[in-house]
Every structure is written in C-alpha cells, then in structure tokens.
Amino acid sequence: MKKRILAGVIGMAILVPSAVFASPYLADMIFGSVETIEQHGGTQEDYQEIEAMLQVAKGKLTEEEFQEYTELTKQLMQLKLKITNEYGVRDEEKLTPEEQQQWDELGAKLTPYFEKITGSTEP
C-alpha cells in the first residue's frame, strides 16, 4: 500500500511540473510567437517580461476582465508593431489619423486594467 502511495506521489511530482512547462505562453495570444517581437527589435527577455505581466494580470483580473484586457492589449500591440522598426524604434507618425484615434481609445480603455494590475496608469 505504501509503495502505491509513494509511486503516486512521485508520478504527480513528475507530471505536474511538465504540464506547467507544456502550457502555452499567454504572450503567444498577443504576438503569435517570440519571433514577432524579435523582428521589431525585441528580445527573448522582453517576451518573458510581457509573459510575466500577463501572468500577473491573469491572477489579478476576473476571467471576463482578463479576456477584455488581452483583446485590447492585442489591438494595441498590433498598432505598436506597425510603427516599430527592426531596431525597436517607434514612430507614432506612421499611424493614420484613424489609427491614432484608435491608439488613444485603447490607451483610455486599458488604463483601469493597468491601475488594477500594477497600481499605475502606464502600460
């Protein structure tokens, strides 16, 4: 009996961490992959920081809030990627007037989430 319990505990000790490592990155929901970040001057470390921020957000927001937050963040990141070159330099003048309005609206919609996640209004 003790051998079965011990075998079960050892099995769980092996399976649980590997399930965690096998889970997809939250940042992939926003960017698709780390390569997208790297094409715009980012690094693996930048990607990990974004992932960490998303993990914190997931822990602090309700499921509904997190879904809204990730959708708004995805839209904002698409605009950021559009105006960021391969060296990581952003040029907001590349945005059309409509995109600039969308940029401002997304920032306003995301502010309450940033406050809840970090205590700051800055993304």
Side-chain angles (χ1 to χ4, degrees):
M1 180 72 164
K2 288 183 181 181
K3 288 183 181 182
R4 286 186 185 179
I5 293 173
L6 184 59
V9 170
I10 291 172
M12 289 300 291
I14 292 170
L15 292 176
V16 171
S18 36
V20 170
F21 290 117
S23 62
Y25 282 101
L26 294 174
D28 287 349
M29 295 182 336
I30 307 295
F31 299 104
S33 70
V34 69
E35 287 80 20
T36 304
I37 295 288
E38 291 172 341
Q39 291 170 356
H40 292 86
T43 64
Q44 177 72 35
E45 290 78 24
D46 296 330
Y47 198 73
Q48 293 300 328
E49 286 179 29
I50 294 166
E51 176 65 21
M53 178 66 173
L54 290 170
Q55 291 291 344
V56 169
K58 188 172 184 178
K60 290 190 175 186
L61 301 174
T62 66
E63 188 173 328
E64 184 178 302
E65 288 173 329
F66 183 71
Q67 291 298 327
E68 177 72 10
Y69 170 75
T70 54
E71 182 55 40
L72 293 171
T73 300
K74 184 175 185 175
Q75 292 174 34
L76 184 65
M77 289 303 122
Q78 288 172 346
L79 290 173
K80 280 188 177 184
L81 290 174
K82 179 178 180 177
I83 63 172
T84 305
N85 68 19
E86 67 272 12
Y87 304 109
V89 178
R90 283 191 297 188
D91 181 5
E92 290 185 30
E93 292 183 12
K94 289 184 178 179
L95 295 173
T96 66
E98 295 81 17
E99 290 170 332
Q100 183 62 52
Q101 181 178 355
Q102 182 184 14
W103 177 277
D104 295 339
E105 290 171 1
L106 288 168
K109 288 178 182 177
L110 282 165
T111 296
Y113 294 115
F114 290 126
E115 289 174 346
K116 191 170 185 178
I117 297 164
T118 67
S120 170
T121 59
E122 294 298 313

